Amino acid sequence: MAAIIELENISKHYSPTIIGVDNVSLTVEDGEFVTLLGPSGCGKSTLLRMIGGFETPTHGTIRLADKDVTWDPPYKREVNMVFQDYALFPHMTVGENVGYGLKVKGLGRLEIETKVHDALKLVGLFDKVKLRPQQLSGGQRQRIALARAIVREPKVLLLDEPLSALDAKLREQMQIEMKHLHEKVGITFVMVTHDQTEALVMSDRVVVMEKGRIAQQGRPQELYDHPASPYVANFIGTTNFLPGRVIRCTGERAEIEIGGGRLSAIVDAPLVAGSTVTAGCRPEKVRLLAEGETAENVLEGRVAEVIYYGLGLRLAVELADGSRVYTDSLLPDRLALSPVPPLGQSLRLAVEPHNVFVFEGEVTP
Amino acid sequence: MAQSPNRAPGLVSRYGADTAFMTFVAALMAFLYIPIWVLIAFSFNDSRSLTWPLSGFTLDWYVKLASNGDLLAAIRNSFYVATGATILTLCVGVPAALALHKVNFPGKTVFRRLILLPITLPGIVTGISMLNMFKLIGFPLSLETVILGHATALLGVVVTQVYARLQRLPKSLEEAAFDLGASPWRSFVDITLPNIRTAIVGAGMLSFVLSFDEIPVTFFLTGRDNTLPMYIYSTLRRGVTPEINAVGTIIVLLSLVLIVVSVVSTRDTKQK
Ligand SMILES: Nc1ncnc2c1ncn2[C@@H]1O[C@H](COP(=O)(O)OP(=O)(O)O)[C@@H](O)[C@H]1O
Ligand SMILES: [Mg+2]
């Protein structure tokens, strides 16, 4: 695979104090679906808009298909963008909207009609060709915006929070639909979102951003299972954070003393005995132990809260030192409801050592 | 059935409120329109005195009007001035609004307020100051100086209307046009212009109407030629003649045409 977008030490300083993007280097492969993920204000849109040509970086180089486009205006770049508010032209019909980019390109009327037809077919809205955007629903407008961008067959499609204006149900459906569209058209997608589920569901690679920098990037599963920092662990999925101290570390195995007990963990890099660390584990990797059952990392506590969320149960278990550990369990069928423990009951929890993350230092997420 | 005792008082009070509201609207409409109907009625009345009741129907005043050279010249002048002032103020005002919208420069807010000043200043001040200026540079007074004066005074109308519309236009529309390959000029013509067209048309019509019946600025800046309001004003010393009523009726008719034109020309960008 060849690189289609290369960002080299890109920075964008809006003013000496407002830094939108801070020294980011990123390569996107041809045909990839990459997502820029992060909370509001972390610089995702700024980065995307620099690829599109709507902002110019204060430092760094942007290459598209091996061509330096850092200073090219948007109309000279072979990328197209789906805007957060869709930006459909209100004075044009759906057909004219989708065909506008082709008309500007100077294609003939017949060719434009065929391509518009195909693009609208692709998003399943051909019957709306004569309507105005104002007459469509949010989801339909979103699809028109997609059709208008891909009809020009760009090298890269940029999407700025494309699904954020849709309601939850439609959003879930569009996530899958857009993933299929990506596979079908074979164009590189770069999407911005603050929704971690969306990022995990849709992309080949997720780039997590923090305050204008890249915090971590990788395949969705890598990020979920091996978050490089508490920030990432907290932003993608839910994590229990337990402050502690390293007792000893031999090879890849570390013993951590936490307020409510002891944990052993598998670590990538050796830790210094006595240093302050924070252990982390995902609620769904924490298991309830049956009576008499033994396991490696056992924590004891009392049920402080029971949260029912349809798919399963989340228990908040209070350890001896008052810290809380969340544990998720699925409810495979209705019978499983019967053993819901009452508040205050003593419980034993277990978590496998390879499911324990250890971050150096103290964390207040 | 069980509900009706509860509903009856609500219905009565709502009916009462509706009646009060309708009466108010009717009174308002009467206040606005009765004078105009009186004017139209008297323009067809066959007596010179403006007294009730009407004495009989005639078209004499319209015939008289058609042969009154001074009056016809005044009407022609008014159209010339209003058209000239509208075109000039649009030619300056629209680009000014675009510049204000597009370009950020220090003192932009001050500039925006300054451009608004002529419309908020009393016409007398604008009139006198422009008169001084034309005298100073030795420019002879004529209908053209009136046009310059009106265009200056009306600039604020055009700039505010067009600027307000531009501000409401999402920035992403223009960006989307760039994104689809349109150059800045092309995107202006294809995207921005159609979306501010109704504001330009509206501001143009308002300017035309305001210029058409403007007196203070015209008073100071005109040479020997008179515009219609000036002519009417000068004949008023001899009292309102039915001829003037006939002119008024024609203007009302033209205004109606203007309203229809504006409704038709601003309709198609809105949702059907
Ligand atoms: N046009 C602008 N002028 C000044 N500051 C801006 C501008 N656009 C964005 N910023 C700032 O840059 C930072 C990153 O913004 P943005 O890229 O929009 O974040 P995100 O899309 O991740 O929410 C924010 O602090 C924001 O306030
Ligand atoms: Mg954003």
Side-chain angles (χ1 to χ4, degrees):
Chain A
M1 262 203 271
I4 187 94
I5 306 173
E6 288 163 285
L7 305 181
E8 245 180 58
N9 305 102
I10 290 291
S11 291
K12 174 73 185 181
H13 296 215
Y14 283 109
S15 76
T17 49
I18 305 175
I19 296 172
V21 168
D22 189 8
N23 197 19
V24 164
S25 296
L26 179 70
T27 305
V28 177
E29 305 289 331
D30 197 7
E32 228 184 343
F33 194 140
V34 170
T35 298
L36 306 176
L37 174 68
S40 167
C42 72
K44 314 173 296 273
S45 294
T46 304
L47 192 57
L48 195 76
R49 289 170 58 78
M50 284 193 285
I51 301 174
F54 302 106
E55 308 279 357
T56 43
T58 33
H59 307 281
T61 316
I62 300 174
R63 270 191 301 274
L64 273 172
D66 292 324
K67 188 173 149 253
D68 186 342
V69 297
T70 315
W71 301 103
D72 283 359
Y75 46 91
K76 291 201 179 138
R77 302 190 185 195
E78 281 183 86
V79 301
N80 280 109
M81 177 121 151
V82 174
F83 291 82
Q84 190 166 5
D85 63 355
Y86 312 145
L88 297 175
F89 306 130
H91 60 294
M92 294 184 185
T93 63
V94 163
E96 286 164 346
N97 261 284
V98 177
Y100 184 71
L102 303 173
K103 197 170 124 195
V104 171
K105 231 184 202 174
L107 298 194
R109 213 171 55 91
L110 226 70
E111 198 175 351
I112 293 179
E113 247 170 51
T114 324
K115 290 196 171 194
V116 168
H117 179 268
D118 292 347
L120 284 174
K121 266 254 168 79
L122 196 64
V123 296
L125 284 177
F126 184 68
D127 53 325
K128 303 285 189 283
V129 64
K130 291 246 154 53
L131 297 184
R132 292 283 168 109
Q134 300 90 304
Q135 293 167 291
L136 303 180
S137 70
Q140 290 169 333
R141 284 182 213 183
Q142 211 278 329
R143 280 175 233 216
I144 300 302
L146 262 176
R148 186 177 70 177
I150 54 179
V151 78
R152 279 173 52 95
E153 295 162 26
K155 292 205 167 88
V156 177
L157 186 68
L158 306 174
L159 307 112
D160 193 354
E161 313 234 3
L163 306 178
S164 63
L166 306 180
D167 56 65
K169 197 79 203 163
L170 189 56
R171 192 155 60 220
E172 254 176 53
Q173 183 192 332
M174 285 303 295
Q175 286 170 6
I176 303 299
E177 234 173 79
M178 277 176 55
K179 199 174 151 78
H180 290 167
L181 187 71
H182 171 250
E183 283 154 17
K184 212 185 294 183
V185 295
I187 296 172
T188 309
F189 279 33
V190 180
M191 183 177 82
V192 158
T193 183
H194 62 263
D195 180 339
Q196 47 114 3
T197 318
E198 199 165 288
L200 296 182
V201 167
M202 297 171 76
S203 21
D204 299 322
R205 185 152 56 104
V206 178
V207 178
V208 184
M209 292 188 63
E210 177 183 16
K211 294 188 189 133
R213 295 162 175 267
I214 294 180
Q216 192 182 356
Q217 52 172 309
R219 287 184 301 110
Q221 207 183 334
E222 271 167 32
L223 290 183
Y224 192 85
D225 291 341
H226 302 284
S229 64
Y231 173 84
V232 176
N234 195 40
F235 198 78
I236 296 182
T238 310
T239 304
N240 294 303
F241 288 105
L242 300 163
R245 213 163 39 82
V246 180
I247 299 172
R248 69 173 157 275
C249 185
T250 45
E252 59 173 10
R253 220 171 170 79
E255 297 287 327
I256 317 282
E257 175 162 37
I258 58 165
R262 273 185 183 207
L263 289 174
S264 49
I266 309 284
V267 291
D268 306 328
L271 295 164
V272 182
S275 61
T276 307
V277 292
T278 302
C281 54
R282 303 277 188 197
E284 74 277 7
K285 302 278 162 67
V286 181
R287 197 158 57 86
L288 287 178
L289 287 182
E291 219 152 306
E293 193 181 348
T294 53
E296 195 165 356
N297 285 330
V298 178
L299 296 172
E300 284 181 33
R302 291 175 180 280
V303 179
E305 203 174 353
V306 179
I307 302 154
Y308 174 71
Y309 60 96
L311 196 64
L313 271 188
R314 173 165 291 179
L315 299 182
V317 176
E318 202 167 286
L319 305 187
D321 68 333
S323 57
R324 281 187 172 198
V325 173
Y326 288 98
T327 158
D328 285 352
S329 47
L330 292 179
L331 296 172
D333 73 54
R334 290 206 288 172
L335 284 181
L337 268 174
S338 50
V340 170
L343 289 186
Q345 189 188 328
S346 304
L347 280 179
R348 290 186 311 137
L349 305 171
V351 54
E352 301 292 325
H354 66 264
N355 283 330
V356 178
F357 317 136
V358 181
F359 305 113
E360 287 179 62
E362 247 174 272
V363 178
T364 39
Chain B
M1 267 292 127
Q3 271 182 359
S4 63
N6 289 338
R7 235 166 51 192
L11 260 184
V12 168
S13 68
R14 212 169 84 200
Y15 180 73
D18 278 0
T19 316
F21 180 68
M22 290 311 289
T23 315
F24 173 72
V25 171
L28 188 68
M29 295 309 267
F31 183 74
L32 286 175
Y33 284 100
I34 283 181
I36 293 174
W37 285 113
V38 169
L39 173 115
I40 294 174
F42 276 114
S43 77
F44 294 107
N45 192 22
D46 69 354
S47 152
R48 195 160 247 292
S49 64
L50 298 177
T51 49
W52 204 259
L54 303 170
S55 41
F57 179 83
T58 180
L59 288 176
D60 275 3
W61 308 118
Y62 290 87
V63 178
K64 271 236 172 75
L65 184 158
S67 57
N68 182 339
D70 286 349
L71 181 56
L72 291 180
I75 293 176
R76 242 191 335 269
N77 289 343
S78 267
F79 271 102
Y80 173 65
V81 167
T83 310
T86 303
I87 292 174
L88 185 60
T89 197
L90 284 179
C91 286
V92 179
V94 174
L98 285 166
L100 267 180
H101 176 64
K102 265 273 137 80
V103 192
N104 267 317
F105 51 91
K108 178 164 157 171
T109 338
V110 177
F111 180 70
R112 239 178 68 209
R113 301 238 188 289
L114 280 181
I115 227 168
L116 274 181
L117 202 58
I119 193 86
T120 42
L121 276 182
I124 294 190
V125 178
T126 311
I128 294 180
S129 44
M130 292 204 68
L131 176 64
N132 284 337
M133 191 192 72
F134 288 134
K135 281 267 152 66
L136 209 66
I137 56 176
F139 210 85
L141 295 182
S142 63
L143 287 177
E144 286 72 30
T145 51
V146 178
I147 289 179
L148 278 174
H150 284 188
T152 312
L154 293 170
L155 200 58
V157 174
V158 174
V159 173
T160 12
Q161 299 251 339
V162 176
Y163 180 71
R165 178 68 60 88
L166 282 167
Q167 291 282 295
R168 274 195 291 140
L169 216 58
K171 201 172 146 230
S172 58
L173 285 188
E174 199 183 37
E175 288 183 343
F178 290 164
D179 188 65
L180 296 167
S183 62
W185 172 246
R186 178 105 199 232
S187 121
F188 173 73
V189 172
D190 287 352
I191 309 302
T192 310
L193 205 53
N195 280 299
I196 61 169
R197 202 193 77 216
T198 54
I200 296 177
V201 171
M205 283 192 195
L206 191 58
S207 300
F208 187 90
V209 171
L210 288 176
S211 162
F212 197 82
D213 75 2
E214 209 280 343
I215 291 185
V217 175
T218 318
F219 181 82
F220 288 104
L221 297 183
T222 189
R224 276 173 298 111
D225 303 296
N226 254 346
T227 61
L228 183 63
M230 296 279 287
Y231 175 83
I232 293 175
Y233 183 69
S234 66
T235 57
L236 273 188
R237 264 167 289 173
R238 284 169 270 141
V240 179
T241 63
E243 232 173 308
I244 298 298
N245 288 336
V247 176
T249 304
I250 292 175
I251 292 177
V252 169
L253 244 158
L254 287 178
S255 306
L256 278 178
V257 172
L258 206 65
I259 290 170
V260 171
V261 168
S262 79
V263 168
V264 168
S265 67
T266 53
R267 192 172 46 190
D268 88 41
T269 48
K270 297 210 187 81
Q271 207 174 323
K272 264 179 259 162

